[in-house]
Amino acid sequence: MNWQEFFAMGGYAFYVWVSYAITFVVLLALVIMPIIQRKQFMRQQTLRLKRQENP
Amino acid sequence: MFLIPKPVGKFFHRMASPPYFYDFTGRLIPWLSWIFLFLVIAGLYGGLVLAPADYQQGDSFRIIYIHVPSAWMSLFVYVVMAIAGGIGLIWRIKLAEIVAISSASVGAGFTFIALVTGSLWGKPMWGTWWVWDARLTSELILLFLYLGVIGLYGAIDDKRTASRAVAILALVGVVNIPIIHYSVEWWNTLHQGPTVTKMDKPSIHISMLWPLLVMAVAFKFYYVIAMLQRARTELVVRERNSQWVKLLLESK
């Protein structure tokens, strides 16, 4: 099997690859978002702590 | 609780302590991620490359390797969420509340994926993106239940109260789970019946089956990883004024 045949998915390329792409995007977003939020929150809190210590 | 072995009980007892949970999950997640990556590569290779095309559906059947695991997980995560919510409701364990609400967004994601990939599979096979039949409609209600849980949690400022409200909603919604599962047997539907869970004689060839099972396990690992990431964020936000979070911030 060559690459072209693989991507063509027997004529169902649109349905198969859109399915996989949406799944990939949703699953990636759901694991990345909480990490970004946590980092942002930690940064804010560190600044808040510093302000409290030496106003 | 005499049925639970002592070390297991001890482990859960320690995991209920926020700093221990935060530290332990922080070290656990990289291991889970490597196992997940290995499984997902093996599953995708088996499903997209090794498995032969279906004699009726051609290559479109390959959507099964994300559609079915997502659909299974949408039910599994809901049950975990309801049980964790119930534990939080009865024993007021903060970590159980956090596991419950952290499961909601991941479960909603799986439900969304199951619906969208099902639609993308239905179009070439059934000739329609959507039908209002029992399986599809009950799965859509599941998505609304997840969104209801997330919305309700966000609407109540006091997170302990919010967790209790969410747990009750989640527990009431459990009634939808058997409806989804048995919908293809109770009602006439376009959706095909179970192919895998008929364990005595699954109507799917082994070369098509093993990648599906590997993907199902991979999605379980994904759920634990994504849920723990969400839980760790939820935990530090809720515990922002506690000593251990302050120590954590100072150590950075």
Side-chain angles (χ1 to χ4, degrees), chain B residues 44-65:
Chain B
L44 287 177
Y45 185 69
L48 292 173
V49 181
L50 295 181
D54 188 72
Y55 80 105
Q56 280 181 324
Q57 305 198 355
D59 282 315
S60 76
F61 99 99
R62 296 184 198 279
I63 295 172
I64 202 176
Y65 297 111

Side-chain angles (χ1 to χ4, degrees), chain B residues 9-24:
Chain B
K10 220 171 178 177
F11 173 74
F12 276 102
H13 189 77
R14 276 163 81 193
M15 283 295 272
S17 139
Y20 184 82
F21 178 92
Y22 191 86
D23 180 63
F24 182 80

Side-chain angles (χ1 to χ4, degrees), chain B residues 111-224:
Chain B
T111 314
F112 176 78
I113 291 168
L115 286 166
V116 170
T117 57
S119 191
L120 281 158
W121 194 3
K123 181 63 184 167
M125 289 303 114
W126 304 339
T128 178
W129 299 103
W130 184 263
V131 279
W132 290 101
D133 81 345
R135 172 54 71 83
L136 281 70
T137 309
S138 55
E139 184 75 9
L140 185 64
I141 291 170
L142 185 70
L143 180 64
F144 292 149
L145 278 169
Y146 275 124
L147 297 180
V149 163
I150 295 166
L152 184 61
Y153 187 75
I156 302 170
D157 280 332
D158 179 61
K159 290 311 173 197
R160 306 281 337 228
T161 315
S163 290
R164 260 176 283 157
V166 153
I168 292 165
L169 175 60
L171 285 166
V172 172
V174 167
V175 73
N176 194 34
I177 299 298
I179 295 178
I180 298 174
H181 183 75
Y182 291 109
S183 57
V184 285
E185 291 171 25
W186 291 346
W187 292 284
N188 283 319
T189 164
L190 266 185
H191 197 283
Q192 65 188 64
T195 43
V196 179
T197 46
K198 297 184 293 186
M199 274 311 174
D200 47 332
K201 199 170 141 246
S203 49
I204 175 170
H205 192 259
I206 187 73
S207 62
M208 293 174 168
L209 180 62
W210 77 259
L212 182 60
L213 299 179
V214 171
M215 286 300 280
V217 178
F219 274 35
K220 284 237 160 47
F221 273 89
Y222 170 84
Y223 158 63
V224 176

Side-chain angles (χ1 to χ4, degrees), chain B residues 28-88:
Chain B
L28 185 67
I29 286 170
W31 290 98
L32 296 176
S33 304
W34 283 115
I35 298 169
F36 166 73
L37 219 59
F38 171 76
L39 288 171
V40 92
I41 289 168
L44 287 177
Y45 185 69
L48 292 173
V49 181
L50 295 181
D54 188 72
Y55 80 105
Q56 280 181 324
Q57 305 198 355
D59 282 315
S60 76
F61 99 99
R62 296 184 198 279
I63 295 172
I64 202 176
Y65 297 111
I66 39 180
H67 174 74
V68 168
S70 308
W72 283 343
M73 288 309 289
S74 71
L75 304 183
F76 176 83
V77 172
Y78 195 94
V79 173
V80 172
M81 178 177 81
I83 291 173
I87 291 171

Side-chain angles (χ1 to χ4, degrees), chain A residues 6 9-10 12 15-16 18-20 22-23 26-27 30-31 34-35 37-38 41-42 45-46 48-49, chain B residues 22 44 48 57 59-60 62 65-66 113 116 120 125 222 229-230 232-233 236-237 240-241 248-249:
Chain A
F6 175 69
M9 277 288 151
Y12 295 108
Y15 303 105
V16 172
V18 171
S19 294
Y20 277 85
I22 290 172
T23 304
V26 171
L27 294 188
L30 280 173
V31 84
I35 299 174
Q37 283 169 3
R38 188 163 66 241
F41 179 79
M42 298 292 242
Q45 291 297 302
T46 314
R48 197 182 64 118
L49 272 183
Chain B
Y22 191 86
L44 287 177
L48 292 173
Q57 305 198 355
D59 282 315
S60 76
R62 296 184 198 279
Y65 297 111
I66 39 180
I113 291 168
V116 170
L120 281 158
M125 289 303 114
Y222 170 84
Q229 290 290 10
R230 168 64 54 204
R232 282 161 63 78
T233 303
V236 284
V237 173
R240 59 177 165 271
N241 294 322
L248 189 71
L249 291 168

Side-chain angles (χ1 to χ4, degrees), chain A residues 38-55, chain B residues 240 245-246 248-250 252:
Chain A
R38 188 163 66 241
K39 291 216 163 118
Q40 272 176 349
F41 179 79
M42 298 292 242
R43 217 172 313 138
Q44 283 170 4
Q45 291 297 302
T46 314
L47 287 174
R48 197 182 64 118
L49 272 183
K50 276 189 187 137
R51 269 201 302 273
Q52 276 175 352
E53 278 162 15
N54 31 2
Chain B
R240 59 177 165 271
V245 174
K246 279 180 185 152
L248 189 71
L249 291 168
E250 281 162 12
K252 291 226 165 196

